[in-house]
Amino acid sequence: MKTTAKTIKKTKVPKALKQQILLAKISSILWKIVRGTIVIGICFVILYPLFVKFSVSIMEENDLYDSTIKYIPKHFTLNNYKLALEGMKYTKTFFNTFALSFLTAFLQLAACLFTAYGFARFQFPGKKILFACVLLTLIVPPQVLMLPMFMKFRFFDFFGIAEAVTGNSINLIDSFWPFLISAITTMGFKNGLYIYMLRQFFKGMPKELEEAAYVDGSGRFRTFFQIMLPSAKSMMVTVFLFGFVWQWTDSFFSGMYLPTFKVMASALSSLAAEVGSRYSDFGGAMNFVSKGFTSMMNNTGVILVILPLVVLYLVCQKYFVESIERSGIVG
């Protein structure tokens, strides 16, 4: 054994092998540098706009016109946040938007779960055509459907029952009902994407789980609720997050269905004018809202709008990342 160990130590490593090892180490280091540069670049692209908005939100208006100031203000102030909170009626608007987003996301999730499971596990006539129609909803822009959807909810009736009973249709505009009805019928915003994600997830689950449940006497509904849903928890959280976030930041459908009801998007769009009509440096309403003041209010309002979403993502990021990895839509 001693002789063998001495022999191994005395054995010289070939020069070519040394060069290969050195090249492998150099390439590994270079790849780490390239990968780190790419990650830093992506983070910069994502975080830079937020940093700029935050920087503007803590400046006074005079700092915006000072060419020597780029990101760090000379006159630090939190008064912009005070004005924005009052102008947006933030507490009331927050709870209104939270209620709408939560209900819409929950109903979208429930409806899409049943639809996606049906596409993933059952065979029925026209299945491929129907699924193609689901994917088609991702392509059709919402502006194409704006007028018919508005008219449908402005003069809403269910098989003519309301008009037969009361003589008039029902006006659902300026209420949550257009969002809730669209969500429960899987016609809400981005529902095609949710169905696709959930379908891919269910297709990736082993069929042996369901077969074992059927052997034990479980029906289809019991198998779905007790076997499939607990396994799809991470994907359900992701779909709920997508629905919640898109509804929270939605301005198109909110502006169409809620002309007077305040949610985050509508409160943000009118923030500068609202604050300008109430406050000025001289104690009265502003006769002219400057571009600098508008920029300060808009940037401050954006920070207030996305702050709850950042907190929500930090809480749920584990489920989000896990579900994307298991959904089969990466790459």
Side-chain angles (χ1 to χ4, degrees), residues 268-292:
L268 179 61
S269 63
S270 61
L271 175 59
E274 181 73 21
V275 175
S277 65
R278 294 184 180 186
Y279 308 101
S280 75
D281 294 337
F282 304 102
M286 290 183 179
N287 295 323
F288 172 74
V289 179
S290 65
K291 291 184 178 180

Side-chain angles (χ1 to χ4, degrees), residues 5 34 55 103 156 247 266:
V34 171
S55 177
L103 291 173
F156 183 80
Q247 183 58 60
S266 56

Side-chain angles (χ1 to χ4, degrees), residues 19-155:
Q19 290 178 348
Q20 290 180 1
I21 295 173
L22 181 61
L23 287 175
K25 289 182 178 180
I26 293 175
S27 61
S28 176
I29 293 172
L30 289 176
W31 170 240
K32 289 180 180 179
I33 293 173
V34 171
R35 185 173 58 186
T37 303
I38 293 173
V39 171
I40 292 173
I42 294 174
C43 292
F44 176 79
V45 170
I46 295 174
L47 297 177
Y48 177 74
L50 298 179
F51 174 74
V52 172
K53 291 182 182 299
F54 176 74
S55 177
V56 173
S57 70
I58 57 176
M59 290 183 182
E60 291 187 356
E61 187 173 358
N62 294 335
D63 291 347
L64 297 177
Y65 306 117
D66 191 337
S67 59
T68 63
I69 298 175
K70 188 64 176 176
Y71 302 118
I72 302 176
K74 284 184 180 179
H75 307 94
F76 176 83
T77 180
L78 292 177
N79 189 51
N80 294 332
Y81 285 95
K82 179 182 177 182
L83 295 178
L85 288 171
E86 294 176 357
M88 294 175 70
K89 298 179 180 176
Y90 191 77
T91 303
K92 182 180 179 181
T93 304
F94 174 87
F95 285 109
N96 289 341
T97 312
F98 182 85
L100 175 61
S101 301
F102 182 87
L103 291 173
T104 302
F106 178 79
L107 292 177
Q108 283 181 333
L109 174 62
C112 292
L113 276 170
F114 283 104
T115 307
Y117 186 66
F119 278 120
R121 284 293 192 256
F122 298 100
Q123 298 296 329
F124 50 88
K127 174 182 174 180
K128 293 183 178 179
I129 297 176
L130 288 175
F131 189 68
C133 293
V134 170
L135 298 181
L136 187 63
T137 61
L138 299 175
I139 304 173
V140 178
Q143 289 80 0
V144 175
L145 306 175
M146 178 176 66
L147 183 59
M149 291 182 70
F150 178 84
M151 296 300 293
K152 182 66 178 177
F153 290 114
R154 172 60 182 84
F155 304 100

Side-chain angles (χ1 to χ4, degrees), residues 108-307:
Q108 283 181 333
L109 174 62
C112 292
L113 276 170
F114 283 104
T115 307
Y117 186 66
F119 278 120
R121 284 293 192 256
F122 298 100
Q123 298 296 329
F124 50 88
K127 174 182 174 180
K128 293 183 178 179
I129 297 176
L130 288 175
F131 189 68
C133 293
V134 170
L135 298 181
L136 187 63
T137 61
L138 299 175
I139 304 173
V140 178
Q143 289 80 0
V144 175
L145 306 175
M146 178 176 66
L147 183 59
M149 291 182 70
F150 178 84
M151 296 300 293
K152 182 66 178 177
F153 290 114
R154 172 60 182 84
F155 304 100
F156 183 80
D157 203 349
F158 189 72
F159 293 110
I161 296 176
E163 190 169 355
V165 174
T166 64
N168 295 307
S169 56
I170 304 172
N171 180 13
L172 298 181
I173 299 300
D174 220 17
S175 70
F176 287 178
W177 284 111
F179 300 95
L180 303 184
I181 293 174
S182 298
I184 200 63
T185 54
T186 65
M187 288 300 296
F189 188 52
K190 299 292 185 181
N191 272 19
L193 175 62
Y194 307 151
I195 293 173
Y196 176 74
M197 293 172 62
L198 289 165
R199 172 184 175 270
Q200 292 298 104
F201 188 89
F202 285 133
K203 284 190 70 175
M205 294 182 67
K207 291 185 178 180
E208 288 77 10
L209 291 174
E210 295 164 286
E211 292 172 356
Y214 295 151
V215 170
D216 290 339
S218 296
R220 296 190 182 276
F221 281 99
R222 184 178 178 184
T223 302
F224 175 70
F225 284 107
Q226 294 189 356
I227 304 298
M228 305 303 287
L229 288 191
S231 303
K233 181 173 64 173
S234 58
M235 180 55 72
M236 291 166 61
V237 171
T238 299
V239 170
F240 180 83
L241 281 177
F242 278 162
F244 187 92
V245 170
W246 271 324
Q247 183 58 60
W248 185 278
T249 58
D250 169 62
S251 59
F252 180 80
F253 290 106
S254 297
M256 182 170 68
Y257 294 142
L258 303 173
T260 61
F261 195 88
K262 283 288 184 182
V263 291
M264 284 292 179
S266 56
L268 179 61
S269 63
S270 61
L271 175 59
E274 181 73 21
V275 175
S277 65
R278 294 184 180 186
Y279 308 101
S280 75
D281 294 337
F282 304 102
M286 290 183 179
N287 295 323
F288 172 74
V289 179
S290 65
K291 291 184 178 180
F293 181 81
T294 302
S295 176
M296 286 192 312
M297 288 297 100
N298 288 340
N299 283 285
T300 306
V302 167
I303 296 296
L304 292 175
V305 169
I306 67 174
L307 186 60

